[in-house]
Amino acid sequence: MSTPTLVRLESAFANVDLDAQPAAGSQALPASMYREGPIAEIERSIVFGRHWQYLGHRSQVSMIGDLLMASIGGLDVAITRSAQGLRGFHAVCRHRAGPLEACRGGGKTFLRCRYHAWAYGLDGQLLSAPEMRGADGFDETSIRLPEIELAEFEGLIFGRLGPGPASLEQVLADVALRLTRAGHALPTLRFHERVSYDIDCNWKTYVDNYLEGYHVPHVHPTLNAILDYRSYTTTLSQWHSLQSSPLESAPDTYGSGEVLYYFIYPNTMLNILPGRLQTNRVLPLRGNRCRIEFDFLYRDVPLANDREFSDVVQQEDVRICEAVQRNLDSGSYVSGLLNPTRESGVHHFQELLRTDYREALRRAKEIRRQA
Ligand code: FES
Ligand SMILES: [Fe+2]
């Protein structure tokens, strides 16, 4: 992952106030940070190249020989379970960058390139390469897939591409306690299905929207009917935030209890109800679009109507995010005031971004000084 140069950073952040904003009276990040341009490449390195991101659940790779394909920071990765445990590798062929896919043959699982069929073991080692034996300079023992760092929390598998500012344990400090107190046992859940939505908006537009309940009464009439908006609270920690609300009257779909919406910087969301977890991963796409992957996990069977209900709420969010993005692109708006009570999660997210932007500038200046 290349480090952005000082010139590039200074041009991307020209006219952007990167100073820490007070919780009360803070301005939202300016529209220029949400438009197509160099910021996407910069964030790929300084945000998505350094922080922990959710990749999958233990139930998807529980047996030796299991393999899960995922994507992180624009890179396809393979999560494998072998006798050496759980490991993650770049799913990019070392021949000519072909795409790898999971294959089974001879009673074994392995990774095979769709281009010219080079094959790799679950430890990342090249196993075979058609018609390459005897080629000058070809030494199959020296060809391996690069590895990424993985860590597990309550059955959830996270990965990161390079060293970052905190361990996964630090990022999720106090979450386990909160889950136990509320009777949630995430490791016992089982993956059920994945649903993806491609949206015409910057990835941050979607995250901002997720992080406030301020819009719920106006955008989500059905969701509003089952949440108790007056009791909706946001709690902030260093690397994550939690929005929670008692369920008011949802006996058909969710029963009673409490809904927990965790956001883990920069792009992981955990939506937790008794016996159910829905994860959201926000993946930036080229052309200022993003993909949201929803994974549905249940303790027993899927909750009736859960998928349909989730789709209705998501379509409402898609429409509002796409409308906001069109307005951010229009040139009409630069920045506005955040609501200190209802948008504290947005402020928290944007402060983490500002910190990453400042840190990238500091490091680039350091590199310039040393040159
Ligand atoms: S690029 Fe993978 S085998 Fe050629
Ligand atoms: Fe929403």
Side-chain angles (χ1 to χ4, degrees):
M1 194 95 11
S2 62
T3 311
T5 62
L6 185 55
V7 174
R8 216 168 156 69
L9 290 167
E10 283 179 338
S11 125
F13 298 136
N15 309 317
V16 179
D17 182 1
L18 294 184
D19 288 345
Q21 297 280 307
S26 93
Q27 288 285 322
L29 270 181
S32 60
M33 291 290 94
Y34 294 79
R35 296 204 190 111
E36 197 162 5
I39 188 64
E41 201 50 44
I42 289 170
E43 285 172 346
R44 192 167 157 176
S45 161
I46 67 173
V47 177
F48 291 94
R50 301 191 315 133
H51 294 287
W52 294 102
Q53 292 151 68
Y54 176 73
L55 296 175
H57 187 262
R58 182 191 289 172
S59 63
Q60 294 171 278
V61 271
S62 58
M63 312 280 286
I64 289 185
D66 282 353
L67 207 163
L68 170 69
M69 303 304 288
S71 163
I72 174 169
L75 169 74
D76 288 339
V77 292
I79 313 302
T80 69
R81 169 84 64 189
S82 69
Q84 287 105 50
L86 201 63
R87 294 172 77 180
F89 298 97
H90 293 215
V92 177
C93 182
R94 308 332 280 172
H95 174 222
R96 279 179 40 229
L100 303 186
E101 63 186 3
C103 267
R104 268 197 83 73
K108 284 201 160 86
T109 315
F110 57 94
L111 286 157
R112 189 172 64 188
C113 180
R114 294 215 308 269
Y115 208 173
H116 315 98
W118 286 25
Y120 301 83
L122 298 188
D123 58 356
Q125 175 67 49
L126 183 68
L127 295 173
S128 62
E131 303 173 62
M132 287 298 288
R133 188 134 300 150
D136 267 0
F138 178 71
D139 169 17
E140 66 186 17
T141 62
S142 69
I143 299 176
R144 304 183 55 79
L145 300 173
E147 192 159 358
I148 67 163
E149 194 181 354
L150 298 182
E152 222 179 306
F153 168 83
E154 297 281 307
L156 311 180
I157 302 163
F158 287 77
R160 70 174 170 187
L161 294 175
S167 67
L168 186 64
E169 214 180 344
Q170 290 165 330
V171 168
L172 296 171
D174 71 29
V175 176
L177 194 65
R178 180 74 169 83
L179 293 177
T180 310
R181 232 178 43 220
H184 299 295
L186 303 189
T188 63
L189 302 179
R190 292 200 64 77
F191 174 80
H192 182 71
E193 80 174 310
R194 169 169 297 173
V195 182
S196 293
Y197 299 86
D198 284 8
I199 313 183
D200 267 324
C201 72
N202 184 272
W203 71 278
K204 300 189 291 295
T205 308
Y206 188 87
V207 174
D208 286 345
N209 174 69
Y210 177 87
L211 286 170
E212 43 92 355
Y214 197 21
H215 72 274
V216 170
H218 315 291
V219 172
H220 302 301
T222 19
L223 180 62
N224 194 44
I226 66 168
L227 293 180
D228 179 3
Y229 181 71
R230 284 154 308 167
S231 310
Y232 197 101
T233 57
T234 303
T235 319
L236 308 176
S237 297
Q238 187 174 4
W239 298 104
H240 69 265
S241 58
L242 169 64
Q243 299 169 81
S244 60
S245 165
L247 285 166
E248 236 185 5
S249 51
D252 294 347
T253 306
Y254 299 117
S256 57
E258 186 187 32
V259 57
L260 304 179
Y261 298 126
Y262 274 105
F263 169 71
I264 301 152
Y265 183 75
N267 69 337
T268 299
M269 295 145 181
L270 308 176
N271 305 312
I272 303 170
L273 286 156
R276 175 263 206 193
L277 163 68
Q278 180 211 63
T279 65
N280 307 158
R281 301 190 313 134
V282 185
L283 307 173
L285 300 178
R286 286 180 203 283
N288 215 19
R289 308 182 80 230
C290 63
R291 173 168 302 154
I292 319 299
E293 288 183 346
F294 282 35
D295 286 357
F296 290 84
L297 297 103
Y298 300 99
R299 183 176 51 218
D300 307 311
V301 289
L303 299 184
N305 304 324
D306 185 34
R307 164 78 199 282
E308 291 73 14
F309 187 82
S310 157
D311 188 60
V312 167
V313 175
Q314 174 66 354
Q315 294 300 351
E316 290 161 350
D317 281 325
V318 169
R319 283 194 293 277
I320 197 70
C321 287
E322 291 187 341
V324 167
Q325 188 64 50
R326 281 194 297 279
N327 288 341
L328 289 168
D329 291 340
S330 71
S332 158
Y333 164 98
V334 177
S335 177
L337 191 65
L338 293 176
N339 181 314
T341 315
R342 293 290 185 186
E343 293 176 303
S344 60
V346 181
H347 171 254
H348 172 260
F349 167 58
Q350 298 191 357
E351 282 301 288
L352 287 167
L353 285 167
R354 283 192 180 93
T355 306
D356 272 349
Y357 299 154
R358 285 197 302 271
E359 172 63 11
L361 270 170
R362 190 195 62 73
R363 277 183 292 153
K365 284 180 184 158
E366 189 70 34
I367 290 168
R368 164 76 63 84
R369 248 197 312 278
Q370 286 167 1

